[in-house]
């Protein structure tokens, strides 16, 4: 389902829905102001910005407090360091908005991010709306901030699709998405990953659902359950979020056995959920196979406890793959190989942005 974006008359702030924007903050003093400024400058002004200081040791806590002192829409929560999942959960517990959004503390939102995402949700009745994003390097931050402040044009199309869990699991190879678009299938619109940013959620989706604390891949861990709660998703074809590529981020530098094991655990959880719901677990196949293979490259893989963990995960992987039909296994293996090739290109071009 698609359609042109319809411009509606702006309503008074008092009658506009309240959106809670949750930003976990940890040692982000170099980029935090760009992020916060982009949120407070949103064209949809009825928002509450919840900054969760997760025990930062730089000037981030003071920066958060400065914003709270001059803008009543900002709430700051200081807590001992517990990881991003704990910070996200703290934000969810404190949120009072009708809708929920997340942002990373070093990223930048287009000034129309919330407005366009909200419009897509309310006009289509979807459970979640999403937009496109673009990566950028540290050297581009001033230009990106200016572009975001100027604001994107209204989207030309809103696409609504059903079965979000199926889309999450099967539409993830970039080359296949490009091919689908060339064939007129609008495949890119059905693509989304486990990231929580550049999305707008109806509040009720998060009732009784929280991120698992104390592990990596917390977003992957909840993805299956979250998307299985949705009936339909709305996509708008415009870039509304700018994702900083920094060598300091966990996903770009963390290479411990624990990191790979947690990714395996999260992938396996989604794998089993898909089997229960009759969905081919293409993305989760890629995650579990890759995580087990990459455990052998971890800097601490020679420790006996990590060897034992690797053997345990290998056994579970074998059990999971045995549950696939032959056609499912072939399809999953093909997309996994294709995605590995794409990842090689991605790592060389995107993760090395400066």
């Amino acid at each position: 389902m698609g359609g042109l974006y319809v411009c509606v008359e702006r309503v008074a702030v008092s009658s506009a829905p309240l959106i809670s924007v949750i930003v976990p903050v940890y040692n982000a003093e170099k980029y935090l102001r760009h992020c916060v400024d982009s949120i407070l400058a949103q064209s949809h002004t009825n928002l509450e910005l919840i900054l969760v200081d997760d025990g930062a040791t730089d000037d981030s806590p003071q920066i958060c407090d400065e914003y709270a002192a001059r803008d009543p829409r900002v709430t700051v929560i200081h807590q001992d360091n517990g990881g991003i999942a704990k910070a996200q959960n703290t934000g969810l517990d404190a949120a009072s908005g009708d809708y929920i959004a997340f942002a990373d503390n070093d990223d930048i939102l287009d000034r129309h991010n919330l407005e366009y995402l909200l419009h897509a949700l309310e006009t289509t009745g979807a459970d979640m709306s999403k937009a496109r994003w673009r990566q950028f390097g540290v050297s581009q931050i001033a230009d990106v901030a200016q572009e975001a402040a100027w604001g994107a044009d209204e989207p030309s199309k809103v696409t609504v699709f059903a079965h979000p869990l199926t889309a999450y699991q099967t539409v993830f190879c970039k080359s296949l998405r490009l091919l689908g678009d060339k064939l007129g299938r609008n495949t890119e619109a059905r693509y989304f990953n486990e990231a929580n940013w550049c999305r707008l959620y109806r509040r009720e989706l998060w009732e009784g659902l929280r991120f698992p604390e104390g592990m990596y891949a917390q977003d992957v861990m909840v993805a299956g359950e979250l998307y299985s709660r949705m009936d339909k998703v709305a996509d708008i074809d415009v870039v509304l979020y700018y994702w900083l590529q920094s060598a300091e981020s966990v996903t770009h530098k963390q290479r411990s056995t624990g990191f790979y094991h947690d990714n395996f655990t999260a992938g396996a959880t989604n794998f089993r959920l898909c089997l229960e719901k009759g969905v081919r677990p293409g993305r989760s196949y890629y995650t579990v196979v890759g995580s087990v293979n990459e455990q052998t490259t971890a800097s601490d893989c020679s420790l006996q406890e990590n060897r034992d963990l690797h053997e345990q995960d290998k056994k579970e992987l074998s059990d999971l793959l045995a549950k696939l039909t032959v056609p499912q296994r072939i399809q999953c293996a093909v997309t996994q190989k294709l995605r590995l090739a794409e990842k090689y290109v991605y790592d060389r071009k995107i993760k090395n942005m400066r």
Side-chain angles (χ1 to χ4, degrees):
M1 174 179 172
L4 292 179
Y5 181 91
V6 180
C7 186
V8 296
E9 183 178 353
R10 301 293 178 253
V11 296
V13 171
S14 60
S15 63
L18 177 65
I19 298 177
S20 298
V21 184
I22 300 167
V23 181
V25 177
Y26 184 74
N27 290 359
E29 61 181 6
K30 291 189 290 186
Y31 314 116
L32 182 58
R33 294 185 189 278
H34 289 290
C35 175
V36 175
D37 287 343
S38 73
I39 296 171
L40 295 180
Q42 288 293 299
S43 54
H44 178 93
T45 58
N46 194 26
L47 62 89
E48 62 172 2
L49 172 56
I50 304 172
L51 300 173
V52 184
D53 162 32
D54 190 43
T57 57
D58 63 359
D59 286 339
S60 296
Q62 291 74 28
I63 294 173
C64 291
D65 290 340
E66 288 174 15
Y67 279 100
R70 65 175 186 253
D71 194 319
R73 298 176 298 168
V74 179
T75 296
V76 179
I77 301 173
H78 299 285
Q79 64 182 29
D80 293 337
N81 180 248
I84 188 171
K86 182 179 179 181
Q88 288 173 312
N89 290 340
T90 296
L92 284 169
D93 292 341
S96 58
D98 305 296
Y99 299 95
I100 303 292
F102 294 89
D104 285 353
N105 61 191
D106 52 3
D107 294 340
I108 296 174
L109 279 65
D110 183 275
R111 72 180 301 266
H112 295 305
N113 181 290
L114 299 182
E115 176 193 352
Y116 291 172
L117 289 174
L118 178 62
H119 182 274
L121 264 188
E122 293 194 318
T123 56
T124 64
D127 301 290
M128 180 186 84
S129 58
K130 67 184 184 72
R132 313 300 168 84
W133 62 88
R134 195 175 80 206
Q135 298 96 334
F136 70 97
V138 173
S139 65
Q140 302 169 288
I141 195 165
D143 291 338
V144 167
Q146 184 176 20
E147 181 178 355
W150 181 259
D153 292 337
E154 293 176 348
S156 61
K157 181 188 295 185
V158 177
T159 302
V160 181
F161 60 91
H163 311 296
L165 179 61
T166 300
Y168 169 67
Q169 286 288 343
T170 60
V171 183
F172 64 99
C173 289
K174 181 66 175 179
S175 52
L176 295 181
R177 283 149 38 207
L178 290 172
L179 177 61
D181 283 355
K182 287 289 186 182
L183 296 175
R185 297 177 180 173
N186 199 22
T187 308
E188 186 67 32
R190 297 179 64 242
Y191 168 73
F192 60 104
N193 54 24
E194 54 279 338
N196 304 116
W197 39 253
C198 206
R199 318 272 193 264
L200 190 63
Y201 306 92
R202 294 189 183 274
R203 178 188 182 86
E204 52 267 28
L205 288 172
W206 292 97
E207 292 180 0
L209 182 62
R210 292 295 185 266
F211 296 96
E213 298 179 13
M215 69 175 293
Y216 298 107
Q218 84 290 340
D219 47 1
V220 180
M221 194 70 170
V222 303
E225 174 63 25
L226 180 62
Y227 299 146
S228 66
R229 294 182 174 198
M230 303 176 185
D231 291 323
K232 56 184 180 180
V233 170
D235 169 84
I236 51 181
D237 63 340
V238 62
V239 173
L240 295 179
Y241 192 94
Y242 297 89
W243 179 21
L244 177 65
Q245 301 300 295
S246 169
E248 301 168 6
S249 71
V250 171
T251 53
H252 285 190
K253 69 185 295 189
Q254 181 56 249
R255 292 295 181 267
S256 67
T257 296
F259 174 79
Y260 293 125
H261 171 70
D262 285 353
N263 273 273
F264 173 81
T265 300
T269 298
N270 287 328
F271 195 110
R272 287 188 290 269
L273 178 67
C274 287
L275 293 179
E276 292 173 7
K277 295 185 175 295
V279 174
R280 173 166 52 88
R283 184 190 290 267
S284 293
Y285 178 101
Y286 170 80
T287 299
V288 294
V289 171
S291 296
V292 167
N293 290 337
E294 289 174 321
Q295 281 181 17
T296 61
T297 69
S299 58
D300 56 357
C301 66
S302 61
L303 297 176
Q304 186 59 51
E305 61 187 276
N306 290 335
R307 291 180 181 177
D308 294 341
L309 192 61
H310 179 56
E311 291 302 317
Q312 172 188 315
D313 289 349
K314 282 175 59 179
K315 172 62 168 61
E316 185 175 354
L317 174 61
S318 178
D319 293 342
L320 288 173
L321 299 187
K323 298 179 185 298
L324 295 175
T325 65
V326 172
Q328 284 178 327
R329 195 160 182 171
I330 292 174
Q331 287 177 303
C332 288
V334 169
T335 52
Q336 185 243 356
K337 297 299 184 185
L338 183 58
R339 185 70 189 97
L340 278 176
E342 293 174 349
K343 181 177 182 296
Y344 175 78
V345 175
Y346 174 88
D347 286 349
R348 289 175 63 89
K349 290 187 175 181
I350 302 298
K351 285 191 176 183
N352 292 322
M353 278 185 165
R354 296 291 184 265

